[in-house]
Structure formats: structure tokens, C-alpha cells
């Protein structure tokens, strides 16, 4: 089923009105991200800068996005390298992200992990999926640009938080599509860490667009292609879904 | 639409003040031609090229329409004929300098082309005609495989297949060597007597026109009165 | 010697020109035939899948611009649907298109409620059906078995879980022949959609009339907001992929038709133009204009009949050939309807007559002396 939920957390949504200021844009963006539960299954393929393709793997991402709390759980589907491996993370009201990793085969063995780390040797990063930059205090509109022939509004988000792995984010938001077509993340020395670009979109039940295909380009020119092939916009989060996260407190 | 009742010495064809102009009168291919041709006559129209002799033949053959004047065939004006193609098929046989045979058809089929659309079986007559013209062993040959003289004889057979009374020949020997030319002229002469044909032939060759009963010389779109007299 | 033989001789004795014309026409016609039959086959195979199941009505979420309806919790609407008059069974179905092998394109994986009427129309060729709701086994279509090189007893990994092939079946619908089928419960588990379905299939009792179907549709519209009840034919009509492929095939038919018409028209125009003197000769020999026009049109009809017939055979060969390519396996089930093929042949001849008529009339209107002067 192609009609799937979303890469809600991989891409930012916004609905800027004409002439809306940065604050309003950010606010609608945060609103659009809210979800009581979603699931997206995706195939991830990494291509190194020398052109070598790693064996693609499948992931399931489930999540809940509330005003104060966001939770995510990533499950490796196949092949053996990722099967049964989980990464779960939570972002609290203060903006701190706590991540754990565990394996279906080794119950009870729960380890803390770095939310800014690359997932399963790919360009996917848990930290990016939380879209934390929409909560930063410094937001400004920097003009407009075009990505893949579509016009979008350039938004700059900044933070002075020394603990944040990313200090500045430049997004190009398509107002009508409610989707950031291109997201560039910079560190404190203003070095580009990676660029997340939307290659193909699909329509959600709400009418907004979500990314169906993404390309993540890292500083060393490794490209990670992500394609959502299935999912559910109304995923039923049950007691077990985030149990290890709750137990690990 | 056979217009019959041939009586000797009566004119089969006459033209009255016949003119053919091009470019709104700038060029006068024919300019007031009056001629009369009697049944069974063999007439040669001669003159230098561009004198209008071919234009006159085309008008007589209804291949062209005069600017003014009229032609009478057995006292009936062309303007009253109606369907000219039907008149042409029934009464006139054409022979051209470059034969105009159809390359996709055999000699026999070429002779049969004018009968297409007519009822009846004409194949026997076509064979007989070609045999009469000395082509009995060439029936299934295509024009590309025939000599010039043979091709013109096929064209003569084709001109005769619908039993016309009037044969119009435009330089029929122009593309042939003298031996073949003489043969074609002999044949035309014999056929004329056999079938009581009237022949109007355009030629610039004095040897050819010498065989005609009468010569109509032309110059600048008119009958050259001085030479005619 | 008659007109038909004359026309045939003209074509036969100019083999290069005739062959070129016929091949140009046949390529245009082949494109029309192949593209149309593939588009129709695609549409028909979806409909067949639903018809074969014996499904009278389908209840699904209202969704637009999607290739498949989105999943929903079956129990939200199932009790209410079961209570409607004439409803015999309400059966959940969950489907996804998934990659199950590195070397094969994605296949349809269906989850069907165990013991429901959906299974009844399948013909078991080998093995057995899943024994119960909880058994992690597959029944796979014969085409899927061929494409994935799987037999009864083999394992297939679907979304990280291993399933044993319990049986191989045959279905009249191509979509199902290329699909893997498991029980609904298993499908819900592996896709992490407990209790959810894409579609509820409704089977009505034999006394239900078209009016009853309309009543049920209206009832669903009124009492189940967000849901829609449609017949399988309507579902196919709504399917975006079917709609897009139909639009594309219509556009292609139009373009192929236009190109074909241009080719035929141009070829005829050129060939008649170069034959103006021949027409002059025919007129000088006493042919009537309408006989000349008949000849040209006759030749056009022969050319386009031959080109059309060859084009149709070529089109059928292309469409069938594509269906056998590994890449297209199970996706193409071209439908060739006899009336359509005759219509295409008719179109070809019609275009030929139009293409031949204009230059023929033009040439025949010339004075014979003018036509003879043309080189």
C-alpha cells in the first residue's frame, strides 16, 4: 500500500500565510507535526562517495508527537544486520533527547545511545527526526528559493545551546505543500553537516504533502536514499510500544 | 457517345476561330485557327516548335479547353458534348511521342487500360490488335523490356482498342530511329485504310508530313496562309 | 483487366514504395493496439479480481489521489455493516505491495480473513491452504511462484519474518496470480496494523437487487462518515493508477492516431503527386475522373487494410511480448477485444481513404494537358 503515513519527523511542515512572520510560520509548523501515532516503513539505501552501494535495509518508524513530549521508536525489519534491532528516543519539554538501543534477541539488555549518531551505518539520524529546531528561539525568514522546480520560503533557525549537536538549520518550506523541501543542518563552526532533500511526495489524509522519497547527503558526500513504501497515519500506540523507554528511566 | 454517320467528303472536324491564350492573353498559343478535316483524311500539322501545333492537337483531343472559338465534331460543337472523357474514350485515340505506357503493366494490360470501366471482355481484341501490329510474342512483356518501336506499336494498339474514328498523333516517330519510324508510319497508313480512320498528326519532320494527304502549316499560333496556299 | 487488378498491379509492381507505406501504417496501428490493450487489460484485471471473489460491495475509507485506500480499524464499521439487510458476510482485507526478493519486483501481499468466502474462488494447484488464523504460512499465486522461484515448503521472507509456502493456487485474476496471500491476522501482525484492514468486502444474499445495493450505499454514506461503499467496478474506476494509465493510453492513442493519420496522408499525397502524369495519361485515354478517384482510393484501402492488419498482429505481438518480459511479469494482461481490433482496422482504412481522396480529387480536377505536362 502506497498510501502511507508519513515521514512526519523527517521533514518539517509549515503553513505560512502570505506575509506571515517567522513566528507564525514556526507555530503552524509545530502544529502540523502533531500526531497521536503514526508508522512509516521505509527502505534505506546508502551510496558511499566512491559510488559503492551498501545492501539496502528496511526500517519501521513509529512515533507520537505531543506538545510537550515526542517519542520515536525505530525497528529494523530486514536483512539480518538490522532485524530485531530497536532504537527508541524521547524528547521532553525542556528539549532534552534521551535515546536507548536494544535488541529483540537480548531482552533486558538496554543501552544508552547518542541521538546524534548515524543509524545502522546510514545518513539517518534520530536527532533530525525530532525537528528540534522548530522550538529554538531564533527564527528568521531569509527569502525564497526553488527546489526541484518548486518555490519555497527559506527559514533560518539558530540556537546558542552548547549541548546541541546542530546549531543552525536552513529549511526551504513549500507553504502550499506544508513541507520542507530541503533542510540543511550546520554545526557550531557553521560547517554543513548534511542536507535532507525531498525527491518525491505523497498526499496525506489532511491534504498536506509528505515526503515519499528523500535523499540525505552528508559532508563526506555519502548519500542515503530513503523511500517510504508503507505505513499508517493512525497507528495505534499500545502499552508495549515504548515500554523499554519508560522502564529505562 | 459515338457520333456517327460518316459520309465521305463531309467534314469530321472543323474549328471556328479557335484561340488558346495563357497569362491573361500575354501568350497566344493559338490565335484564331479555322481548319476543316474530312472523314478518312490523313492530315499533318507542321511548323517550328512553339507554333501552336501541339496546342491545336490538345484542343481537338479535348485535353485542353479553348479560350475562345469552338470545335465541331460531325457538326456537333464540343461545348455541347457534356462529359468530355466519355467522348474522348468513344471517338479519339491518342498516340504520344514518348509513348506514355504504364510501367507497372504488361503490353497486353496497357492496351486494355482504356477499357477499364467498360463492360465486356476486350482481351481477345487486344491480343488480335497486338498480333496485327507484330507483337504476338511480346504480350506479357513490360514496357521496360520493349524497344522504342515496340513501345509505340503497343501505344497504337492502345489507341485503337476502343474503335475510335479519329487518331491524334503527337510526333509519333519523334523518339524512333528512321527504320522504326518508317514501320510505324506504314502501320498507321495500313490501319487507316482498314479501319477507315481519320488521322491528325503533328510533326516537324518533312519526311513524315510527306506521307500525309494534306499538310496544314502553322506559324505563331495561326495557320500559315502563305505556305498553305 | 479491371480496376481492382490494375490497383493491385500498381502496388505489386512498386514493392519498395508499397512496403514503406504499409510499414509506416502498421507501426502507427501497432502502437494504438498495444497501448490500448495493455491499458484495458490493466483495468480489467483489477475488476476481475473483485468479480471473481464474489464481492458485491466494497467498503473503504474515502481517499483521493491515492493508489490504495488507507487502513482503518475493521470493528469500527463491521457490526453496523453486518446488520444491514441482505448482507451475508463482511470480510476484511489488508494488502500491501512489498519487496520480498532482491531479484524480483515488488509483489502484492494480501491478508484475507481465514475461512471467509474470499478463498473459495481460488483453485489450489499444489499443497494446502493455511490451517488456521494463526499459522504463519502463505498461499502463493502460480505466477508469483514462477517469478520468485518458490515451491511448496520453501520459505519467503516478508518484512523480516519467514513464511512457509503452504500452497500454490491459480486465480482467474492476474493480480491474484502474482500475489502472496496469508491470513488477515498474520498480515496485520507483520505490518503492525492490529485490527486494521484496507477494505471490507461485502457478500450479499441471492435475493439482493441493484436497488438493494443502492440502498446499502446510501446507508453507508449517511451513517458512516468518512467511509464509502462502492462496487468493484467503481473502485477500479477510482484507482489512481488505473485512471492515470487510462489517461496516458488515451493520450497515446490520440498521438498514435494523429501520427498514423499524418503518415498515411503524407504518404498518399506524395505518391499521388509523383503520379500526376500517370493520371493525365489515364484521363487522355478516356478515363472519367471518378474512375481515377476510385483507383486511388482503392489503392489506399488496400494499403491501409494490409498495414492495419499487419499493425494489429504486430501490436498484439508487442503487448504479449511485453507481458513475458521479466520486468513486466504479472503486470500486463493485455485485453484484445475483437470489436476494438475491427474498429482499429476501420480507423486505418478511414484514414487511408481520407489521405488518398484529397490528392486524388486534386489530380483528377486538373486538365489532362496540365497533368501530362507534370514531370
Amino acid at each position: 500500500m502506497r498510501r502511507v503515513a508519513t515521514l512526519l519527523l523527517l521533514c518539517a511542515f509549515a503553513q505560512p500565510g502570505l506575509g506571515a512572520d517567522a513566528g507564525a510560520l514556526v507555530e503552524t509548523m509545530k502544529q502540523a507535526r502533531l500526531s497521536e501515532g503514526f508508522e512509516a516503513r521505509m527502505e534505506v539505501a546508502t551510496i558511499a562517495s566512491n559510488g559503492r552501494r551498501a545492501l539496502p535495509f528496511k526500517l519501521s518508524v513509529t512515533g507520537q508527537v505531543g506538545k510537550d513530549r515526542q517519542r520515536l521508536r525505530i525497528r529494523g525489519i530486514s536483512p539480518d544486520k538490522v532485524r530485531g534491532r530497536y532504537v527508541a528516543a524521547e524528547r521532553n519539554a525542556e528539549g532534552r533527547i534521551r535515546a536507548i538501543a536494544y535488541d529483540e534477541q537480548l531482552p533486558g539488555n538496554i543501552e544508552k545511545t547518542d541521538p546524534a549518531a548515524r543509524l545502522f551505518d546510514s545518513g539517518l539520524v534520530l536527532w533530525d527526526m525530532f525537528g528540534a529546531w522548530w522550538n529554538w528561539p531564533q527564527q528568521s525568514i531569509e527569502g525564497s528559493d526553488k527546489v526541484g522546480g518548486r518555490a519555497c520560503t527559506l527559514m533560518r533557525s539558530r540556537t546558542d545551546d552548547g549541548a546541541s549537536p546542530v546549531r543552525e538549520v536552513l529549511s526551504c518550506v513549500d507553504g502550499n505543500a506544508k513541507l520542507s523541501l530541503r533542510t540543511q543542518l550546520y554545526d557550531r563552526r557553521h560547517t554543513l553537516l548534511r542536507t535532507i532533500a525531498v525527491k518525491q511526495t505523497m498526499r496525506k489524509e489532511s491534504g498536506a504533502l509528505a515526503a515519499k522519497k528523500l535523499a540525505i547527503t552528508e559532508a563526506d558526500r555519502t548519500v542515503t536514499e530513503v523511500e517510504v513504501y508503507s505505513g499508517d497515519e493512525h497507528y495505534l500506540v499500545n502499552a508495549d510500544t515504548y515500554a523499554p523507554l519508560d522502564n529505562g528511566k | 457517345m459515338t457520333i456517327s454517320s460518316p459520309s465521305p467528303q463531309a467534314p469530321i472536324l472543323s474549328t471556328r476561330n479557335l484561340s488558346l491564350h495563357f497569362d491573361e492573353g500575354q501568350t497566344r498559343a493559338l490565335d484564331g485557327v479555322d481548319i476543316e478535316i474530312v472523314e478518312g483524311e490523313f492530315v499533318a500539322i507542321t511548323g517550328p516548335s512553339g507554333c501552336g501545333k501541339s496546342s491545336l492537337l490538345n484542343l481537338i483531343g479535348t485535353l485542353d479547353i479553348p479560350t475562345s472559338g469552338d470545335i465541331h465534331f460531325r457538326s456537333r460543337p464540343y461545348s455541347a458534348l457534356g462529359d468530355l472523357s466519355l467522348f474522348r474514350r468513344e471517338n479519339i485515340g491518342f498516340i504520344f511521342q514518348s509513348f506514355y505506357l504504364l510501367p507497372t503493366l504488361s503490353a497486353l494490360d496497357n492496351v486494355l487500360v482504356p477499357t477499364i470501366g467498360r463492360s465486356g471482355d476486350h482481351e481477345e481484341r487486344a491480343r488480335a490488335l497486338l498480333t496485327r501490329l507484330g507483337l504476338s510474342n511480346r504480350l506479357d512483356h513490360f514496357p521496360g523490356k520493349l524497344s522504342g518501336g515496340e513501345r509505340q506499336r503497343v501505344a497504337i494498339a492502345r489507341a485503337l482498342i476502343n474503335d475510335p474514328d479519329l487518331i491524334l498523333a503527337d510526333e509519333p516517330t519523334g523518339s524512333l530511329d528512321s527504320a522504326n519510324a518508317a514501320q510505324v508510319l506504314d502501320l498507321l497508313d495500313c490501319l487507316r485504310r482498314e479501319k477507315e480512320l481519320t488521322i491528325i498528326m503533328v510533326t516537324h519532320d518533312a519526311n513524315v508530313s510527306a506521307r500525309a494527304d494534306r499538310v496544314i502549316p502553322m506559324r505563331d499560333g495561326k495557320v500559315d496562309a502563305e505556305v498553305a496556299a | 483487366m479491371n480496376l481492382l487488378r490494375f490497383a493491385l498491379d500498381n502496388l505489386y509492381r512498386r514493392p519498395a514504395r508499397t512496403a514503406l507505406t504499409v510499414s509506416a501504417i502498421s507501426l502507427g496501428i501497432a502502437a494504438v493496439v498495444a497501448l490500448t490493450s495493455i491499458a484495458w487489460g490493466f483495468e480489467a484485471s483489477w475488476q476481475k479480481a473483485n468479480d471473481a471473489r464474489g464481492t458485491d460491495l466494497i467498503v473503504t475509507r474515502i481517499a483521493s489521489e491515492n493508489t490504495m485506500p488507507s487502513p482503518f480499524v475493521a470493528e469500527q464499521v463491521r457490526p453496523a455493516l453486518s446488520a444491514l439487510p441482505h448482507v451475508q458476510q463482511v470480510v476484511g482485507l489488508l494488502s500491501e505491495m512489498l519487496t520480498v526478493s532482491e531479484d524480483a519486483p515488488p509483489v502484492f501481499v494480501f491478508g484475507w480473513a481465514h475461512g471467509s468466502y474470499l478463498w473459495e474462488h481460488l483453485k489450489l494447484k499444489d499443497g494446502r491452504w493455511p490451517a488456521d488464523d494463526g499459522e504463519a504460512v502463505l498461499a502463493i499465486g502460480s505466477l508469483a511462484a514462477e517469478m520468485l522461484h518458490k515451491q511448496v515448503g520453501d520459505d519467503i521472507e516478508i518484512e523480516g519474518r519467514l513464511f512457509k509456502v503452504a500452497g500454490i493456487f491459480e486465480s482467474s485474476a492476474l493480480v491474484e496470480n502474482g500475489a502472496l496471500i496469508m491470513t488477515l491476522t498474520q498480515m496485520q501482525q507483520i505490518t503492525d496494523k492490529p485490527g486494521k484492514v484496507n477494505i471490507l468486502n461485502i457478500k450479499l444474499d441471492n435475493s439482493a437487487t441493484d436497488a438493494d445495493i443502492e440502498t446499502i450505499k446510501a446507508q453507508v454514506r449517511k451513517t458512516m462518515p468518512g467511509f464509502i461503499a462502492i462496487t468493484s467496478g467503481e473502485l477500479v474506476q477510482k484507482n489512481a493508477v488505473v485512471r492515470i494509465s487510462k489517461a496516458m493510453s488515451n493520450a497515446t492513442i490520440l498521438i498514435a492516431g494523429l501520427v498514423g493519420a499524418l503518415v498515411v496522408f503524407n504518404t498518399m499525397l506524395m505518391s499521388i503527386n509523383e503520379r500526376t502524369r500517370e493520371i493525365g495519361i489515364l484521363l487522355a485515354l478516356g478515363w472519367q475522373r471518378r474512375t481515377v478517384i476510385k483507383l486511388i482510393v482503392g489503392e489506399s484501402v488496400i494499403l491501409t487494410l494490409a498495414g492495419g492488419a499487419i499493425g494489429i498482429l504486430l501490436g498484439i505481438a508487442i503487448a504479449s511480448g511485453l507481458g513475458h518480459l521479466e520486468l513486466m511479469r504479472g503486470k500486463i494482461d493485455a485485453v484484445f477485444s475483437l470489436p476494438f481490433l475491427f474498429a482499429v482496422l476501420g480507423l486505418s482504412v478511414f484514414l487511408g481513404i481520407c489521405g488518398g481522396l484529397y490528392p486524388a480529387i486534386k489530380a483528377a480536377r486538373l486538365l489532362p494537358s496540365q497533368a501530362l505536362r507534370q514531370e
Side-chain angles (χ1 to χ4, degrees):
Chain A
M1 180 186 14
R2 297 276 157 177
R3 168 33 157 176
V4 231
T6 77
L7 268 183
L8 257 183
L9 300 187
L10 283 170
C11 29
F13 297 101
Q15 189 176 28
L18 279 172
D21 63 7
L25 187 69
V26 168
E27 197 45 47
T28 35
M29 194 80 110
K30 286 199 280 193
Q31 286 290 326
R33 291 172 54 81
L34 298 177
S35 167
E36 286 184 13
F38 70 87
E39 190 235 14
R41 274 177 288 142
M42 55 197 77
E43 188 160 271
V44 182
T46 307
I47 304 143
S49 55
N50 64 6
R52 264 195 62 187
R53 266 174 187 275
L55 193 65
F57 59 90
K58 289 181 177 180
L59 287 182
S60 153
V61 178
T62 58
Q64 256 183 322
V65 183
K67 273 195 162 40
D68 296 326
R69 194 166 74 151
Q70 291 183 39
R71 298 198 294 188
L72 279 175
R73 191 198 67 184
I74 291 160
R75 171 172 67 93
I77 296 173
S78 70
D80 290 339
K81 189 180 73 156
V82 301
R83 181 173 302 133
R85 287 176 63 187
Y86 286 81
V87 180
E90 181 177 51
R91 185 178 180 278
N92 63 16
E94 289 82 55
R96 293 279 163 251
I97 297 174
R98 182 173 64 87
I100 57 165
Y102 55 98
D103 196 315
E104 218 169 48
Q105 305 298 314
L106 308 161
N109 190 358
I110 297 172
E111 291 171 0
K112 278 192 76 173
T113 186
D114 178 6
R118 299 170 86 238
L119 285 170
F120 305 123
D121 287 328
S122 76
L124 285 174
V125 174
L126 207 49
W127 189 90
D128 301 352
M129 300 186 194
F130 281 97
W133 55 90
W134 297 118
N135 291 301
W136 292 346
Q138 302 174 47
Q139 305 278 358
S140 56
I141 290 176
E142 299 281 308
S144 58
D145 198 356
K146 268 194 168 181
V147 175
R150 286 197 208 175
C152 51
T153 307
L154 278 172
M155 278 287 295
R156 190 182 298 279
S157 317
R158 274 206 197 89
T159 182
D160 298 325
D161 180 0
S164 178
V166 175
R167 301 289 276 274
E168 188 179 316
V169 174
L170 194 60
S171 323
C172 209
V173 179
D174 180 337
N176 296 325
K178 302 180 179 181
L179 179 67
S180 174
L181 300 177
R182 188 186 61 211
T183 309
Q184 291 163 298
L185 297 92
Y186 297 88
D187 69 4
R188 67 190 161 86
R189 283 189 294 271
H190 203 79
T191 306
L192 181 63
L193 296 171
R194 54 193 165 270
T195 303
I196 303 167
V198 173
K199 297 295 179 193
Q200 199 180 321
T201 59
M202 59 189 163
R203 201 166 287 280
K204 299 199 298 172
E205 250 169 49
S206 66
L209 290 187
K212 178 161 170 54
K213 276 189 191 170
L214 286 172
I216 305 166
T217 311
E218 294 174 87
D220 65 356
R221 305 190 65 183
T222 300
V223 177
T224 302
E225 291 174 346
V226 181
E227 179 173 6
V228 177
Y229 64 87
S230 173
D232 191 350
E233 281 187 62
H234 303 282
Y235 181 71
L236 301 167
V237 175
N238 60 36
D240 296 336
T241 310
Y242 298 108
L245 201 57
D246 295 335
N247 296 340
K249 266 183 185 167
Chain B
M1 201 199 283
T2 309
I3 300 171
S4 57
S5 81
S7 67
Q9 301 309 310
I12 183 169
L13 188 113
S14 61
T15 71
R16 190 78 50 230
N17 197 25
L18 198 62
S19 298
L20 181 63
H21 298 174
F22 299 111
D23 309 326
E24 291 167 356
Q26 297 288 310
T27 316
R28 299 183 168 207
L30 285 181
D31 198 7
V33 172
D34 297 285
I35 58 167
E36 210 163 83
I37 290 157
V38 290
E39 300 272 0
E41 207 176 5
F42 177 6
V43 176
I45 302 174
T46 62
S49 60
C51 68
K53 55 189 192 297
S54 287
S55 296
L56 178 59
L57 202 71
N58 279 345
L59 286 177
I60 293 171
T62 69
L63 300 185
D64 216 337
I65 291 172
T67 312
S68 62
D70 207 348
I71 304 171
H72 287 71
F73 184 84
R74 289 185 180 140
S75 311
R76 271 190 73 180
Y78 277 12
S79 50
L81 283 178
D83 190 341
L84 288 177
S85 59
L86 216 55
F87 167 77
R88 207 181 297 140
R89 188 172 79 181
E90 308 277 328
N91 298 292
I92 297 175
F94 276 101
I95 303 167
F96 300 97
Q97 176 177 359
S98 39
F99 325 129
Y100 286 161
L101 297 179
L102 299 176
T104 58
L105 298 179
S106 67
L108 182 64
D109 285 339
N110 258 293
V111 174
L112 285 168
V113 166
T115 67
I116 288 175
R118 290 190 87 168
S119 56
D121 187 8
H122 307 272
E123 197 172 314
E124 270 321 303
R125 290 195 329 103
R127 282 175 193 280
L129 268 171
L130 284 167
T131 307
R132 168 71 188 80
L133 290 163
L135 293 168
S136 56
N137 57 345
R138 293 281 187 271
L139 298 181
D140 296 323
H141 285 54
F142 287 88
K145 298 266 189 262
L146 296 174
S147 72
E150 288 170 333
R151 284 188 226 177
Q152 196 58 300
R153 281 183 277 153
V154 173
I156 292 169
R158 182 177 65 182
L160 296 172
I161 188 72
N162 281 336
D163 268 334
D165 294 326
L166 184 60
I167 295 290
L168 302 179
D170 191 352
E171 303 273 14
T173 59
S175 301
L176 304 177
D177 59 37
S178 52
N180 272 309
Q183 193 190 14
V184 162
L185 287 172
D186 288 342
L187 270 172
L188 279 175
D189 214 23
C190 287
L191 287 166
R192 169 167 84 108
R193 292 172 207 289
E194 273 172 39
K195 299 182 186 289
E196 300 175 333
L197 296 169
T198 307
I199 297 178
I200 305 175
M201 183 185 294
V202 161
T203 182
H204 65 272
D205 185 339
N207 292 325
V208 176
S209 54
R211 304 185 57 149
D213 301 336
R214 179 157 67 102
V215 174
I216 300 178
M218 287 191 68
R219 180 178 294 275
D220 299 334
K222 294 179 178 165
V223 176
D224 194 337
E226 285 175 36
V227 180
Chain C
M1 189 72 178
N2 55 31
L3 202 58
L4 178 65
R5 234 204 72 204
F6 188 31
L8 283 171
D9 272 354
N10 271 339
L11 300 174
Y12 179 71
R13 296 278 301 171
R14 291 182 174 97
R17 198 192 68 186
T18 304
L20 275 175
T21 315
V22 168
S23 43
I25 295 166
S26 60
L27 283 178
I29 296 299
V32 174
V33 169
L35 291 159
T36 311
S37 59
I38 289 170
W40 282 358
F42 189 71
E43 191 183 343
S45 106
W46 279 86
Q47 178 124 20
K48 251 196 267 174
N50 285 307
D51 288 350
R53 287 175 193 154
T55 297
D56 296 301
L57 267 175
I58 286 161
V59 173
T60 183
R61 284 287 280 274
I62 294 170
S64 61
E65 286 193 55
N66 287 309
T67 53
M68 286 291 274
S70 54
F72 58 92
V73 177
E75 290 310 310
Q76 262 181 285
V77 286
R78 221 170 86 93
L81 286 172
S82 304
L84 290 172
H86 297 291
V87 172
Q88 239 180 13
Q89 280 193 50
V90 180
V91 178
L93 178 156
L94 184 60
S95 68
E96 286 198 9
M97 201 156 186
L98 298 171
T99 312
V100 300
S101 160
E102 288 283 315
D103 350 286
V107 294
F108 266 109
V109 181
F110 291 117
W112 286 357
H114 186 259
S116 70
Y117 74 91
L118 290 179
W119 299 83
E120 287 165 14
H121 75 281
L122 301 180
K123 230 172 77 191
L124 195 65
K125 272 177 66 186
D126 195 11
R128 59 174 180 84
W129 297 118
D132 59 63
D133 217 22
E135 199 188 6
V137 293
L138 291 171
I140 67 176
S142 53
L143 186 62
E146 201 183 309
M147 281 166 66
L148 300 168
H149 311 293
K150 295 292 181 187
Q151 297 174 347
V152 170
D154 288 351
D155 286 329
I156 296 180
E157 187 190 312
I158 303 174
E159 295 303 86
R161 286 195 37 201
L162 282 184
F163 285 80
K164 227 172 219 7
V165 177
I168 295 175
F169 65 83
E170 190 113 44
S171 163
S172 54
L174 185 67
V175 173
E176 290 175 352
N177 257 340
L180 316 181
I181 304 180
M182 61 179 80
T183 65
L184 180 61
T185 314
Q186 288 294 320
M187 185 67 178
Q188 289 168 339
Q189 267 179 30
I190 63 157
T191 59
D192 210 356
K193 291 185 180 107
K196 290 194 172 184
V197 296
N198 299 118
I199 281 174
L200 285 171
N201 294 275
I202 298 180
K203 190 180 166 74
L204 303 176
D205 61 32
N206 292 332
S207 65
T209 62
D210 285 351
D212 293 326
I213 291 179
E214 287 307 314
T215 312
I216 294 172
K217 280 183 175 175
Q219 194 69 20
V220 169
R221 209 164 32 236
K222 214 167 71 191
T223 61
M224 301 173 194
F227 288 90
I228 184 169
I230 50 179
T231 59
S232 58
E234 290 166 335
L235 180 72
V236 171
Q237 296 300 324
K238 277 187 193 298
N239 185 304
V241 175
V242 171
R243 283 212 325 255
I244 290 167
S245 68
K246 250 183 128 171
M248 275 172 61
S249 78
N250 283 344
T252 320
I253 290 164
L254 195 71
I255 291 167
L258 278 174
V259 170
L262 260 172
V263 165
V264 174
F265 193 85
N266 188 52
T267 314
M268 284 300 163
L269 196 70
M270 298 291 283
S271 76
I272 305 310
N273 272 344
E274 73 189 14
R275 287 169 65 191
T276 305
R277 193 163 72 178
E278 184 184 321
I279 289 170
I281 296 170
L282 295 175
L283 291 172
L285 297 179
W287 277 40
Q288 286 171 289
R289 278 177 190 157
R290 61 158 192 263
T291 316
V292 172
I293 292 168
K294 261 197 236 166
L295 170 73
I296 305 290
V297 170
E299 286 183 22
S300 302
V301 170
I302 294 167
L303 283 172
T304 46
L305 263 179
I310 293 170
I312 285 169
L313 294 177
L314 196 64
I316 291 174
I318 290 172
S320 318
L322 283 178
H324 284 96
L325 284 184
E326 194 64 34
L327 189 69
M328 305 281 185
R329 262 292 173 71
K331 303 226 168 61
I332 288 179
D333 181 13
V335 168
F336 306 103
S337 85
L338 215 54
F340 168 70
L341 296 182
F342 276 112
V344 168
L345 197 60
L347 173 82
S348 173
V349 171
F350 173 75
L351 288 172
I353 291 176
C354 291
L357 204 56
Y358 167 71
I361 289 174
K362 196 177 134 215
R365 287 179 82 91
L366 286 175
L367 279 171
S369 61
Q370 286 172 314
L372 280 172
R373 271 197 292 273
Q374 300 249 344
E375 274 313 307

